[in-house]
Amino acid sequence: MDREKKIQLKRELGYFWGTNFLIINIVGAGIFVSPKGVLEYSCMNVELSLCVWAACAVLSMTSTLCFAEIGIAFPCSGAHYYFIKRCFGPLMAFLSLWTSLFLGPGLTASQALLLAEYGIQPFYPSCPAPHLPKKCLALGVLWLVGILNSRGVKELSWLQAVSTVLKMGILCLISLSGVFMLVRSKKENVERLQDAFNGDFPELSQLTEAVFQGYFAFAGGGCFTYVAGELKEPNKTIPKCIFTALPLITVVYLLANVSYLTVLTPREILSSDAVAITWTDRVIPQLTWIVPFAISLSLFSNLVITVLESARVTYIAGQQGQLPLIFRTLNIHSSPFIAVLLNVSMGSIVIVLTNLIELINYLYFMDSIWTMLSMIGILKLRYQEPNLYRPYKVFLPFTFITIAICLCLVLIPLVKSPNMHYIYVLIFLLSGLLFHIPLIHFKLKLIWFEKITCYLQLLFNICIPDVSDELVSEVEA
């Protein structure tokens, strides 16, 4: 059979796609909607808040480079899942998978609802948008995203390019407008920015909160571990994408914050729930309707990528035998269709039951734990397998910095606002053992599920990939 006609995840994504992918993952709604968190916890000390943004960029670079080693050393889709299994065994890998099976749909649901809110809100300028049309739009968008993902990664390239241009275009408009107003030395703008630098110095606990607020705006740098198996020459492509995207994002973020402060006072920023829209009302009121729609369109690409990433984890878990055979199948577009369908279906349930989205905040708590374990895994393998082929090695102090950040993200919520929800999250995590022990450890076979698998293969025209041991051949070569 001709290689191009084989059903498998192909390495056909290059530097341009990877750079867009990283930008889309990092640049979300935060910089458009609520940069006030850093300013608030910096006690409205603008000079310090800008330093916090710069520090967060450096911290983001360290964690991203740590994940780059994982994606390069194990160049397969869902590399972080495979990495945890290799370092800590199948039980820990399954518990990580158990978390992601619910975190992924929860994230997609929250992103779809946020997108719907910004898409509908301009039609209700004087009151909150009703819940029913918001949910209907969110469901429609989510299933559209599922259809796009089922068409394969290559089909999403044009969407990524448009989204990146749109996101960076909005940010550049805001940034360059602020710079232009300062260069023109318009008196009120210069005085407003100068006055903004007269702030108090916060306490250490507040400064830590400010760093966390900014760090979330830079989150998403570990995304390459999801698609490392579909990148051309990942040992070269991943570092080049990181050193292109992150400096660009950092400069734009800093200039955007300067522009906000050029037009708005710190108190006006703190009183706004959507700083970008408030800025637009003040500077370019003609675009007040356009900006919310532009933000919605940019969030659409984030939603597409979230579904793509969640599906890759489910697919690789199927390859590793921790999920039923049906989840390791691909359709004719080389897309893990069943994994995409599972994520979209569960996301739809979460959208309908809106109160479940509150659990996502606590699942993020678990995500920090898995990130910390990944960093410990890097240290563990450096010691246990010093001769493992690593085209790229991260500077080890970066690993310790990332561990410290994750440890703070885990401990601070427990200390600051202890409640029973964290106990429930722990119980939820351990509930994965109820499935792991009979199905994975004792390899219990469900005959009826095997029959369903056959019917689903015929119904959706899906099959086992032609190269079913792709992961083993690439990683152990």
Side-chain angles (χ1 to χ4, degrees), residues 24 107-113 115 138 141-143 145 149 298-308 343:
I24 289 172
L107 289 176
T108 57
S110 60
Q111 288 176 341
L113 284 169
L115 184 156
V141 168
L142 182 57
W143 282 95
V145 165
N149 266 281
S298 68
L299 287 172
F300 183 79
S301 62
N302 287 84
L303 183 57
V304 171
I305 296 303
T306 300
V307 173
L308 182 148
N343 187 273

Side-chain angles (χ1 to χ4, degrees), residues 95 138 456:
L95 294 179
L456 290 177

Side-chain angles (χ1 to χ4, degrees), residues 67-360:
F67 280 109
E69 177 175 328
I70 297 175
I72 293 172
F74 304 98
C76 57
S77 297
H80 68 291
Y81 161 82
Y82 176 82
F83 180 75
I84 288 177
K85 185 179 180 184
R86 179 160 179 160
C87 292
F88 302 105
L91 175 59
M92 295 299 290
F94 183 83
L95 294 179
S96 172
L97 171 67
W98 181 251
T99 304
S100 66
L101 284 176
F102 293 88
L103 179 60
L107 289 176
T108 57
S110 60
Q111 288 176 341
L113 284 169
L114 185 61
L115 184 156
E117 184 172 347
Y118 278 94
I120 289 180
Q121 191 58 52
F123 297 100
Y124 299 89
S126 59
C127 61
H131 289 294
L132 182 59
K134 189 189 301 183
K135 287 186 178 183
C136 290
L137 178 59
L139 287 171
V141 168
L142 182 57
W143 282 95
L144 175 60
V145 165
I147 293 172
L148 288 174
N149 266 281
S150 68
R151 299 288 298 176
V153 174
K154 199 69 176 178
E155 295 291 330
L156 301 178
S157 298
W158 63 271
L159 177 63
Q160 277 195 288
V162 171
S163 177
T164 301
V165 170
L166 182 62
K167 285 185 177 185
M168 300 310 287
I170 297 172
L171 285 173
C172 286
L173 173 65
I174 294 172
S175 303
L176 296 178
S177 297
V179 171
F180 178 70
M181 285 184 285
L182 288 178
V183 170
R184 284 180 56 197
S185 298
K186 198 171 181 180
K187 185 176 179 180
E188 60 267 28
N189 296 123
V190 176
E191 288 180 350
R192 184 180 290 112
L193 186 60
Q194 289 175 342
D195 293 338
F197 281 85
N198 300 321
D200 298 326
F201 197 87
E203 297 179 359
L204 182 60
S205 60
Q206 291 176 305
L207 183 59
T208 304
E209 289 282 359
V211 171
F212 289 153
Q213 292 286 328
Y215 186 70
F216 280 126
F218 282 96
C223 59
F224 282 121
T225 60
Y226 292 95
V227 294
E230 295 162 79
L231 290 173
K232 300 175 184 176
E233 299 182 299
N235 58 322
K236 297 179 182 178
T237 302
I238 292 177
K240 286 197 296 185
C241 293
I242 291 172
F243 287 108
T244 299
L246 274 174
L248 176 62
I249 292 170
T250 301
V251 171
V252 173
Y253 272 21
L254 288 172
L255 290 178
N257 277 278
V258 170
S259 181
Y260 291 146
L261 292 163
T262 303
V263 175
L264 305 170
T265 65
R267 293 193 180 279
E268 287 175 327
I269 292 176
L270 294 184
S271 63
S272 173
D273 292 326
V275 180
I277 297 177
T278 306
W279 181 94
T280 306
D281 286 337
R282 187 72 57 85
V283 180
I284 317 173
Q286 298 85 351
L287 299 181
T288 302
W289 270 65
I290 296 177
V291 171
F293 286 113
I295 294 175
S296 294
L297 290 175
S298 68
L299 287 172
F300 183 79
S301 62
N302 287 84
L303 183 57
V304 171
I305 296 303
T306 300
V307 173
L308 182 148
E309 292 174 346
S310 299
R312 292 309 182 272
V313 176
T314 306
Y315 171 74
I316 194 64
Q319 275 197 331
Q320 292 293 299
Q322 291 205 325
L323 282 179
L325 179 69
I326 190 68
F327 291 105
R328 62 178 288 189
T329 57
L330 300 175
N331 63 10
I332 59 174
H333 302 290
S334 296
S335 170
F337 176 79
I338 295 298
V340 172
L341 182 63
L342 175 68
N343 187 273
V344 172
S345 300
M346 292 180 66
S348 300
I349 295 173
V350 177
I351 288 175
V352 174
L353 305 175
T354 312
N355 59 326
L356 291 180
I357 294 178
E358 296 175 4
L359 293 177
I360 303 309

